Every structure is written in structure tokens, then in C-alpha cells.
Amino acid sequence: MGGKKGLLFDVTLCIGCGACYEACKERNRLPRTVAHFLDDQLSDRTYTVVKKRGGRFIRQLCMHCEVPTCVSVCPVGALEKTATGPVIYHEARCIGCRYCMLACPFDIPKYEWGKVLPRVRKCDLCADRLAAGRPTACAEVCPTGATKFGDRQALIEEARARIRARPQKYVPRIYGLEEVGGTSVLLLSDVPFERLGYRTDLLSEPLPLLTWQVLQKIPDFVVVGSVLLGGIWWITNRRREVQIREREERKRRGASEEVSRDPSASGFVGPSQEEE
Ligand code: SF4
Ligand code: SF4
Ligand code: SF4
């Protein structure tokens, strides 16, 4: 099956049923982590979440960037952008440096802190299913078509057509068309994306390309000094952010392990009315 694949998530069609969340857990054999799916966070045991934000239900998952920063910073090629779209992970190559976690503009890759041989974990756009000519598990189960699988270009055309057909309804923007050079996961909404918690401060050029262009045009001694200082500042700050999140994740893991031991938490629970 040739061509680049992707997902179109239309916020206006999502009813917050959580079927995509459950299907992802099942396909990836991931354990239950919270009593109610709307309370879950992305982690090494949860690759996609549904959240209530800005009066809408939204999804979070790896965006499968066209030129992924996570791939460009990995020193051993453990992450790879495949020809059909998925950004996949080769765990045998991974040395656990976690640069991908620092570099991802969407804060997606998570680490298996609780394991003796930890791996980086994230959505792989169901690469094995795509290779077999099947849609992603989350798109297959979505009852409303809010998550739609298809050729990336066809999804872009469809998103444009939906905006054209209902200009009063939709924000005139396809999120993921340009952000960081484009992503395989595309979003449509009837409210501004910042109200839904999506980053709207991202450049339209791929982050790895920007780094490369800057390095090409600046004399070596300036590059060495400024990139080093800028890099140290950025990595220090990003590392601090990641450390804070890691601490929260460990705390949450303690709480969720108690949940998973609670037999009353084993069933599927419907959507909560609370926003984050
Ligand atoms: S969203 Fe993050 S983890 Fe996913 S491909 Fe882009 S940079 Fe990599
Ligand atoms: S594409 Fe597959 S791995 Fe990614 S969120 Fe959907 S079901 Fe999970
Ligand atoms: S399965 Fe579809 S409608 Fe249900 S929460 Fe996921 S995207 Fe929304």
C-alpha cells in the first residue's frame, strides 16, 4: 500500500465516547491506568488520550511529524519516519538518552521508568496494521468518523472541503498542515486551537531543518559559542520541564497502580462531565 497515510481528527464530530482510547489500549496490550479514561494522561502505558477542553472533546497522540525532531536528535537512529507516515521506534537500537523526549514539540514520547530495561513509548500510528492495508485501531472504532484514517493528501482535501462547505462553523485552519513542517495527524475545529490546549506558537518550518540552516549560514566560531550556549540553556530548561513531568508521572503511577489493584476499576466507564 503506497502513499502517505494519516488521521483527520474533527473536534466537531467527537462525542467523547473513549472508544479510540480503549481500542489503542487493546491493540497495544496496555494495562488500565485510571478509573475513568478522561482522567488519563499520556504515559508509557497510554499512547492516546481523550480530554474535555474548551467545551469540546479533543484527542492527544503522536502527530507523526513529516520531518520529526525526535528522529533528528536520536543519535542511534532508534526513531524512524517511514515512507507511509508512521514514526516508529526500534527498541533494540535505543540507548535510553531520552533526547527524543526533550526535543518533541508536542511532548509525546514517554519512558518506562518502572522497568529494568526501559523503552521509549508512544503511538506508532498502528504501523503493522497500515502495512497490512488496515486503518489504525482508533479510527476503525470511532463511531462518528471524528477520527478518520486515509491518505494524508485526501484527508487534507476533505478537511478543506468541510471548511468550504461550512465556513461559519469551522476555524479556517487545518492544524498539522504547516505546523513544524506538517504532520500526519491533522485537526479540524470550530473553536480556536489554543482554547483546546493545542500549541499554536509553532513555526511552519521543520525544527530539524531550521537547526541545519542556522548552522550552515553562521561562521563556525559563532556557531560553536552560540549554539552551545543556546543549546545548554534550552536543554537545561527542557530537562527541568521533563524532570517535573517525570516526577508527576511517577506519583501518578503510584496512584494508578492502586487503581489497577482495585477490582471495581476494571470496567469501562463513560465520559465524565468535568473539564481538566
Ligand atoms: S509528535 Fe513528537 S514524537 Fe511524534 S513524530 Fe513529532 S516529534 Fe516525534
Ligand atoms: S494510531 Fe494506533 S497506536 Fe496510535 S493512538 Fe491510534 S490506536 Fe493507538
Ligand atoms: S472514538 Fe471517535 S467519537 Fe469517540 S472519543 Fe474517540 S474520536 Fe471521539
Side-chain angles (χ1 to χ4, degrees):
M1 205 172 56
K4 278 194 183 163
K5 304 299 176 191
L7 292 175
L8 174 61
F9 174 65
D10 187 333
V11 169
T12 70
L13 299 176
C14 182
I15 55 172
C17 66
C20 50
Y21 170 91
E22 295 294 332
C24 182
K25 287 267 182 185
E26 195 180 324
R27 179 260 170 177
N28 292 296
R29 297 190 178 86
L30 297 169
R32 181 158 296 279
T33 35
V34 287
H36 194 292
F37 73 89
L38 283 177
D39 297 328
D40 212 352
Q41 307 285 336
L42 292 181
S43 74
D44 60 317
R45 297 180 296 172
T46 301
Y47 303 164
T48 185
V49 286
V50 179
K51 292 281 176 196
K52 195 168 187 197
R53 289 200 189 136
R56 305 286 184 278
F57 292 104
I58 62 129
R59 288 192 64 193
Q60 268 183 305
L61 68 162
C62 174
M63 299 293 283
H64 297 278
C65 307
E66 292 288 275
V67 188
T69 327
C70 60
V71 171
S72 72
V73 297
C74 181
V76 291
L79 287 153
E80 180 195 354
K81 175 73 177 175
T82 58
T84 52
V87 174
I88 60 169
Y89 173 65
H90 302 284
E91 64 183 70
R93 296 181 194 165
C94 181
I95 54 172
C97 67
R98 308 196 304 281
Y99 287 165
C100 54
M101 292 170 65
L102 297 171
C104 173
F106 300 102
D107 196 21
I108 297 296
K110 304 296 175 203
Y111 201 54
E112 291 179 320
W113 292 104
K115 295 209 172 162
V116 180
L117 293 173
R119 296 164 297 176
V120 169
R121 304 277 80 187
K122 72 170 193 69
C123 154
D124 67 350
L125 204 62
C126 290
D128 56 340
R129 292 173 61 102
L130 268 59
R134 299 173 67 197
T136 65
C138 54
E140 190 173 67
V141 298
C142 181
T144 64
T147 296
K148 183 171 182 181
F149 171 80
D151 286 315
R152 182 175 185 267
Q153 195 50 44
L155 292 174
I156 290 170
E157 295 311 322
E158 177 158 350
R160 285 189 177 128
R162 287 188 201 178
I163 293 171
R164 260 198 316 273
R166 304 187 73 180
Q168 297 86 357
K169 179 180 180 181
Y170 286 105
V171 171
R173 172 180 181 182
I174 305 169
Y175 190 102
L177 189 59
E178 292 186 343
E179 280 72 16
V180 295
T183 58
S184 299
V185 176
L186 305 158
L187 312 174
L188 273 186
S189 173
D190 59 343
V191 293
F193 288 99
E194 54 270 27
R195 268 181 53 194
L196 303 174
Y198 293 113
R199 283 191 67 178
T200 51
D201 59 342
L202 297 166
L203 300 175
S204 57
E205 284 173 72
L207 299 178
L209 183 66
L210 273 182
T211 315
W212 185 81
Q213 283 173 340
V214 169
L215 288 172
Q216 266 212 329
K217 286 180 185 159
I218 300 177
D220 285 354
F221 70 95
V222 181
V223 170
V224 172
S226 58
V227 169
L228 204 64
L229 285 174
I232 288 169
W233 178 87
W234 183 77
I235 285 175
T236 307
N237 277 279
R238 191 72 179 101
R239 185 169 287 162
R240 198 177 301 128
E241 275 176 36
V242 170
Q243 277 170 348
I244 290 167
R245 283 169 192 271
E246 284 168 353
R247 268 200 297 276
E248 286 168 358
E249 206 159 296
R250 286 198 194 106
K251 266 194 237 158
R252 202 172 50 242
R253 177 186 298 283
S256 69
E257 269 161 7
E258 279 173 28
V259 168
S260 64
R261 281 195 294 273
D262 176 1
S264 67
S266 59
F268 177 78
V269 187
S272 112
Q273 296 309 305
E274 282 181 11
E275 294 196 18
E276 259 199 326

